[in-house]
Amino acid sequence: MQSTHPRSSVALFSAVLAAVLITGGLAGPALATTAAATPTGSAMESVDMTADAGSTATGTSELTAATAIDTGSGTGPAADQARTDRPENPTTEDTVGYVAGYWYDDELPVDDQSDAVVAEDELAPVVYRSMARVERIRNLTFEDEVSVDVVTRAEYRRTTGDRLANLTAAERLEQNVGYEALFTVDRNTAATDATESMYGGAVAGYYDPETDEIVIVSENPETPELDELTLGHELVHALQDQRFNLSRLHGSTQDEDLATDGLVEGDAKRVELEYKSRCRFDWSCLSPSSENGNLPADINWGIYFTIYQPYSDGPDYVNYLRDQDRGWSAVNAAYDDPPTTTSAVIHPGSEREPANVSVPDRSSGDWRQLTVDGQVAADTVGETGMVAMFVADAFESSRQPVIEQGDFLDGGSQGYDYDHSVTNGWIADRLVVYTNDDAANASTPSAAGQAGYVWRSEWQSAADAQEFVDGYLQLLESHGAKASDDRQDTFLIDDGGYGGAYYVELNGSTATIIRAPSADELSTVEAGAAPSGDDSLEFPADDDSDESDTIPGFGPSVAIGALVLFLFGSRSRIVPNQGRFRSGPHGRNDNRD
């Protein structure tokens, strides 16, 4: 689905995410470490451990015998046979698993070290061998060399600290209202600060298509260490860029960007999982002594769960493509026709066609739709964004969440479960920011409270729309909302970071949410909103049980540590677009994580 305007690839949210996502690495759930470390983990169940039989490095020519992947320990008969069958004159260009004189299973001097510190003269062999290993798994050869640098976290912070400094007041208002609409960042905090705080300490590495360079971020400031799994993940992005040109994969909304990430990051994570398994059973691999990418204690879970979805569902989406009898060839072909909604990644094969949602300007007085660079400030939140909105309270507050922690953590060994009845009937949505003179002239995050928005969504059925509205009303109630005495289906939050008036309208399979600073202003943001009369909607009945569905030992403080594996990011690269950050295919800068 394409947005009606081409402004930024993640309209409301991209300027923030793109500026921070320049590298990667969202830490994944601890659940992913268990099965993923073994060849039989769920993420590997539908994926064979060999290159596609009869396929080629480019998908059109026959592979050399070196592509017959051994399935033994690396020292048994199968491994010996693979080495025996290797071509007499291998080449970097045509032989899968061989790069610049190094085979994927070669032993290197650094393998005998007790740490992962790599001297400058030892880095090239490590990179070449890792490239060969990625080729071995992915069944594609690199076309060019890839530059790799290892920096400390302090160096990374210094080079990325100014990325958000050039946002205009309108852009900041756009970001703050967008995140506030999802009850993700309240008006006491700038959206840019919330995302920068999370990524500043959680990035493990990134690939920059602008420079064709990979940067690995090390936690050890004295002797930077190289994490080979992070290197392998980023090398997949370099391979993708060389073969499929990542720079052309630009979405026009947050949801479309995340959907494309489902393919790109799913591909890289799928390779990473197999790489990790082989490091455990077959290959000697470098692993840092200190854990990379520790998430900050004040992590914003709503933002985190939004951005992590491609890594959680992407590998299964890639496995689905491979299971269509074409193996990696099907994945390669998908780069010409990537998914356009996160629903397509959450529900692979569902064939649901998104619809266009219109939000015409029906404001009056000094209210108007906010414009940035001459375009209306609007975005598509998508199924993933809605899930993150409904589950964040399960991890970061004492409020009763719409989606319980236990249900969300029931995503198997690979990640989280983003398939929930309150959101899985989604077809399309559009959130438009409205401003007035007070909001436009303010310069702090609190300006979001003086602004407004109209958020309209379309659902597969009236029942699906009703379930979403019920969930949203539960969310309002958990934030202290009370029903208005004299206005229909209008709910008021008196104070706090989300104070204001909310009008909720349900019309068949269409749900509309309108927010304004006060009940009187709702109808000036959207004509006809908040009429007088009796309510047709009401808060859902309270659960009789006082017990929340929290996993024992997996409360927010424990979850922070458990979720920190390392980051492989949301491929971001910085692409200026008329003076603003434009995220690449994944709400990114276009540095690929």
Side-chain angles (χ1 to χ4, degrees):
M1 177 183 63
Q2 296 291 328
S3 170
T4 56
H5 61 86
R7 188 163 54 82
S8 80
S9 61
V10 183
L12 292 179
F13 311 100
S14 61
V16 173
L17 299 185
V20 186
L21 290 184
I22 177 168
T23 66
L26 297 182
L31 307 177
T33 65
T34 305
T38 70
T40 56
S42 68
M44 305 291 289
E45 288 176 355
S46 63
V47 181
D48 60 83
M49 296 289 286
T50 65
D52 299 333
S55 63
T56 73
T58 62
T60 57
S61 61
E62 192 169 308
L63 285 174
T64 66
T67 57
I69 294 180
D70 55 282
T71 57
S73 64
T75 59
D80 292 339
Q81 182 65 40
R83 295 188 184 100
T84 302
D85 291 342
R86 288 174 177 170
E88 183 176 348
N89 298 304
T91 65
T92 298
E93 294 77 13
D94 301 320
T95 306
V96 171
Y98 176 87
V99 175
Y102 293 89
W103 287 98
Y104 65 92
D105 56 355
D106 279 349
E107 296 181 0
L108 300 177
V110 295
D111 294 337
D112 298 325
Q113 296 180 179
S114 59
D115 56 34
V117 177
V118 179
E120 186 174 352
D121 60 349
E122 295 175 320
L123 182 58
V126 172
V127 172
Y128 289 142
R129 185 182 67 175
S130 187
M131 292 172 70
R133 289 174 169 182
V134 168
E135 288 185 353
R136 185 71 166 168
I137 297 169
R138 188 55 178 83
N139 197 29
L140 281 175
T141 57
F142 284 87
E143 296 177 335
D144 298 298
E145 292 189 3
V146 182
S147 175
V148 177
D149 192 15
V150 182
V151 302
T152 66
R153 186 157 300 283
E155 288 177 295
Y156 168 73
R157 289 182 186 275
R158 284 196 297 270
T159 58
T160 59
D162 296 331
R163 296 191 184 282
L164 301 174
N166 295 324
L167 295 181
T168 66
E171 288 169 332
R172 291 182 182 277
L173 179 62
E174 174 186 37
Q175 307 300 322
N176 292 332
V177 174
Y179 279 110
E180 183 181 313
L182 304 181
F183 288 83
T184 297
V185 180
D186 66 27
R187 65 190 63 130
N188 298 317
T189 305
T192 53
D193 291 343
T195 52
E196 188 173 17
S197 173
M198 182 179 72
Y199 278 96
V203 168
Y206 63 89
Y207 168 70
D208 185 352
E210 295 288 314
T211 61
D212 298 324
E213 179 185 44
I214 288 173
V215 175
I216 304 298
V217 181
S218 172
E219 297 295 343
N220 191 328
E222 301 300 328
T223 53
E225 295 182 290
L226 187 149
D227 187 327
E228 191 168 337
L229 288 179
T230 301
L231 173 61
H233 185 103
E234 304 307 335
L235 282 171
V236 177
H237 291 318
L239 180 62
Q240 292 167 332
D241 194 33
Q242 291 180 15
R243 290 290 184 172
F244 311 118
N245 185 12
L246 294 182
S247 299
R248 68 185 174 85
L249 300 180
H250 288 290
S252 58
T253 68
Q254 169 180 273
D255 193 56
E256 188 173 2
D257 269 351
L258 289 170
T260 309
D261 269 343
L263 170 63
V264 178
E265 295 298 349
D267 185 354
K269 184 65 192 296
R270 157 62 181 80
V271 172
E272 179 197 329
L273 289 172
E274 185 169 334
Y275 200 127
K276 182 176 183 177
S277 177
R278 288 174 177 276
C279 286
R280 181 176 180 181
F281 295 102
D282 300 335
W283 299 337
S284 295
C285 300
L286 294 171
S287 179
S289 56
S290 59
E291 196 171 57
N292 218 0
N294 292 311
L295 295 180
D298 61 347
I299 180 175
N300 186 300
W301 291 107
I303 295 175
Y304 173 79
F305 289 137
T306 298
I307 302 172
Y308 189 75
Q309 186 269 335
Y311 305 97
S312 179
D313 291 331
D316 284 340
Y317 177 76
V318 168
N319 286 346
Y320 166 79
L321 295 176
R322 284 176 53 87
D323 286 344
Q324 308 308 301
D325 298 325
R326 295 178 57 201
W328 284 117
S329 296
V331 180
N332 297 344
Y335 284 91
D336 290 326
D337 186 23
T340 58
T341 68
T342 55
S343 289
V345 179
I346 298 171
H347 316 281
S350 62
E351 304 297 335
R352 61 176 71 184
E353 291 294 331
N356 289 322
V357 174
S358 175
V359 181
D361 189 358
R362 302 177 61 207
S363 61
S364 60
D366 69 341
W367 283 95
R368 57 196 178 274
Q369 292 183 336
L370 176 67
T371 59
V372 179
D373 296 334
Q375 300 291 332
V376 173
D379 200 3
T380 295
V381 174
E383 185 173 350
T384 288
M386 292 178 177
V387 170
M389 173 181 72
F390 284 142
V391 76
D393 282 339
F395 292 83
E396 64 184 12
S397 76
S398 59
R399 288 184 289 271
Q400 180 65 34
V402 177
I403 297 175
E404 295 281 1
Q405 187 181 106
D407 294 333
F408 187 63
L409 293 176
D410 192 25
S413 64
Q414 177 52 36
Y416 307 114
D417 185 1
Y418 286 84
D419 185 1
H420 295 273
S421 61
V422 69
T423 52
N424 65 16
W426 179 93
I427 291 180
D429 74 86
R430 185 169 175 81
L431 193 159
V432 179
V433 177
Y434 285 72
T435 188
N436 56 21
D437 293 340
D438 290 338
N441 294 328
S443 59
T444 64
S446 62
Q450 298 168 291
Y453 57 81
V454 175
W455 185 16
R456 182 162 293 131
S457 56
E458 192 67 35
W459 300 82
Q460 294 188 70
S461 68
D464 290 326
Q466 180 70 65
E467 186 157 7
F468 168 76
V469 166
D470 287 344
Y472 186 80
L473 291 176
Q474 181 183 335
L475 181 67
L476 285 179
E477 186 176 32
S478 73
H479 283 272
K482 303 296 182 183
S484 171
D485 292 332
D486 56 356
R487 294 179 183 274
Q488 185 181 73
D489 300 330
T490 302
F491 305 89
L492 309 176
I493 299 178
D494 290 335
D495 52 25
Y498 301 103
Y502 299 78
Y503 172 65
V504 182
E505 180 183 60
L506 181 61
N507 183 9
S509 60
T510 303
T512 302
I513 297 163
I514 300 163
R515 189 265 169 200
S518 67
D520 289 340
E521 292 173 282
L522 284 168
S523 61
T524 55
V525 171
E526 172 82 355
S532 59
D534 296 331
D535 289 338
S536 61
L537 303 172
E538 58 185 20
F539 291 124
D542 292 335
D543 190 340
D544 293 335
S545 172
D546 292 331
E547 300 180 3
S548 63
D549 186 16
T550 300
I551 303 299
F554 212 103
S557 61
V558 178
I560 290 173
L563 290 170
V564 178
L565 300 184
F566 66 18
L567 305 208
F568 18 85
S570 200
R571 110 174 150 243
S572 46
R573 79 167 196 237
I574 302 172
V575 181
N577 181 30
Q578 297 182 0
R580 45 183 299 139
F581 286 107
R582 169 172 182 156
S583 19
H586 311 283
R588 49 202 160 236
N589 311 312
D590 251 298
N591 291 340
R592 204 56 227 163
D593 317 333

